Amino acid sequence: MMKIKYENLTFEIQARTDLATSKNGTELKKINATIFSGFAAKEDGNASMQVELASDLEKNEAPEISGQESIKVVVNQSIVLNFTGHDDKSDFRYSIIDQPVGGSFTSDTSTGNLTLTWTPANLNTDKIRVTTVDSDGLTADAIEVVILACSGCSGDQGKCDYDNLRNESNPNYLIASCNCTTGWSGDDCDINTDGCADDPCVLERTCIDLSPPDEVKCMFWSWLQLF
Ligand SMILES: [Ca+2]
Ligand SMILES: [Ca+2]
């Protein structure tokens, strides 16, 4: 805490800084002006020091953070996501507000980036939200990454279709549907389709359900086919 004494009064600058950092930039300037305008009018040693402090606070700009704002992920497949902070002062830090389950963040000192490495284990709702905080406690507008998740559609039994979503209730965690290859069905293409379910065979033919990639066979039974 920094205290400034002027005549018989003591001003606790830290308390004002806390107040200032919880406001937006416009209000910050207003508060500073209120604290320091009285001192500026006095032309003595204390006044110059206090005006200088005010000037430092006013010059501080809120930090920013940039990075990918949406990402496609597949269960059991690893992704890497980078974020970059910016500030008028160099000693800002990253703040992780929401971390996905199984994900880990690292800060790269050579690039200054914040990196997320994540392998989703399932389709449970997850959140990625990060921000930057500068040395005076000012915070950037956080990035919340829109996650487009896919089950993987059981490997080669289907393909992720990110244009058709299974859920839309949470705009920041969307689940892609699967386009199944012939013979497979279900949300994740893990069900061997029962090709006979809709009685596709006519003229008294017998329906036989087949394994993928085939679906069904309709045939006349005869003694010849039994041998
Ligand atoms: Ca700053
Ligand atoms: Ca089948």
Side-chain angles (χ1 to χ4, degrees):
M1 177 177 297
M2 178 183 289
K3 291 182 180 179
I4 293 179
K5 290 189 177 177
Y6 180 75
E7 295 178 343
N8 293 326
L9 301 172
T10 300
F11 296 85
E12 295 183 350
I13 299 303
Q14 182 62 50
R16 287 298 180 182
T17 306
D18 287 343
L19 179 60
T21 54
S22 68
K23 307 288 186 181
N24 65 31
T26 309
E27 284 173 313
L28 180 69
K29 286 185 180 175
K30 196 165 73 186
I31 290 164
N32 288 336
T34 306
I35 298 170
F36 295 105
S37 58
F39 296 119
K42 310 270 185 185
E43 292 181 357
D44 60 20
N46 285 339
S48 69
M49 180 181 75
Q50 284 137 9
V51 170
E52 196 177 305
L53 273 168
S55 161
D56 277 353
L57 277 170
E58 282 176 3
K59 273 195 299 192
N60 184 20
E61 292 171 8
E64 294 178 355
I65 187 164
S66 58
Q68 213 170 321
E69 296 193 347
S70 72
I71 188 160
K72 292 174 180 170
V73 299
V74 178
V75 171
N76 293 328
Q77 292 183 18
S78 178
I79 56 112
V80 175
L81 204 50
N82 286 304
F83 303 94
T84 307
H86 312 270
D87 191 43
D88 55 343
K89 296 177 183 175
S90 59
D91 53 348
F92 64 84
R93 64 182 174 84
Y94 292 103
S95 172
I96 295 151
I97 305 168
D98 289 300
Q99 180 165 351
V101 175
S104 64
F105 282 95
T106 52
S107 188
D108 185 332
T109 49
S110 61
T111 62
N113 286 344
L114 176 71
T115 301
L116 166 66
T117 306
W118 179 35
T119 306
N122 50 48
L123 290 178
N124 293 348
T125 302
D126 251 314
K127 250 183 170 189
I128 303 171
R129 203 151 51 112
V130 293
T131 188
T132 311
V133 185
D134 78 6
S135 51
D136 290 320
L138 283 181
T139 305
D141 287 338
I143 289 186
E144 175 157 9
V145 180
V146 174
I147 302 170
L148 275 158
C150 177
S151 68
C153 308
S154 306
D156 59 3
Q157 293 168 205
K159 282 196 164 56
C160 300
D161 182 354
Y162 292 98
D163 294 326
N164 291 303
L165 302 172
R166 286 194 214 174
N167 72 325
E168 300 201 53
S169 56
N170 181 347
N172 291 316
Y173 188 86
L174 302 163
I175 301 176
S177 62
C178 290
N179 286 334
C180 302
T181 55
T182 305
W184 294 104
S185 54
D187 281 348
D188 301 316
C189 305
D190 54 348
I191 297 169
N192 182 337
T193 306
D194 179 2
C196 296
D198 296 330
D199 289 330
C201 302
V202 294
L203 302 172
E204 304 296 318
R205 294 191 192 188
T206 300
C207 181
I208 300 171
D209 175 47
L210 300 175
S211 295
D214 299 310
E215 264 189 327
V216 72
K217 195 174 192 178
C218 297
M219 59 191 304
F220 287 111
W221 283 109
S222 72
W223 283 106
L224 278 175
Q225 287 168 313
L226 294 176
F227 295 97

